[in-house]
Amino acid sequence: MDLAAVDNAVRRAESLAVAEPDSFLAEEVAAELSSYLPPLLAQAEIRLVAMGGSSSAAQRSRDVLGGSIRHGQAVYEDQQAAVFSNPTARLYLLAGACRLLKNAVVAPW
């Protein structure tokens, strides 16, 4: 997965959330972000399984990553079920979930 493409889509979504949340372009960016979530979730889950250590810091890292995965999964499921009624909130939630998971995957835990 091209993480730079994820960053680019996140920035476009945040701009469109302010300027044109109801536009066709916003719909396309939302669909693009939604397509990034499954591979990001898979990578984050692999990372979570691979995390070791028994210290409280290691446990906290696992808890944070697990929370990020749960949040991303919830946003993805809501997007697939078309439950977002506010287009601005939808763009921000998708962008935030992608950014959170992307950072979790690249962070040196």
Side-chain angles (χ1 to χ4, degrees), residues 3-89:
L3 296 179
V6 175
D7 282 336
N8 186 29
V10 165
R11 283 191 294 278
R12 286 184 290 133
E14 290 171 340
S15 294
L16 287 166
V18 173
E20 303 176 69
D22 293 321
S23 69
F24 177 74
L25 186 55
E27 289 290 329
E28 287 183 339
V29 171
E32 181 181 356
L33 289 170
S34 184
S35 74
Y36 291 141
L37 283 172
L40 285 169
L41 285 163
Q43 289 180 13
E45 289 169 354
I46 290 167
R47 184 115 191 216
L48 181 61
V49 169
M51 291 177 91
S54 60
S55 69
S56 60
Q59 182 58 48
R60 180 68 186 135
S61 293
R62 285 190 294 275
D63 291 345
V64 168
L65 183 53
S68 298
I69 292 168
R70 285 187 299 278
H71 174 72
Q73 186 65 40
V75 170
Y76 179 72
E77 289 170 3
D78 287 348
Q79 170 68 10
Q80 295 304 303
V83 298
F84 295 124
S85 59
N86 181 325
T88 300

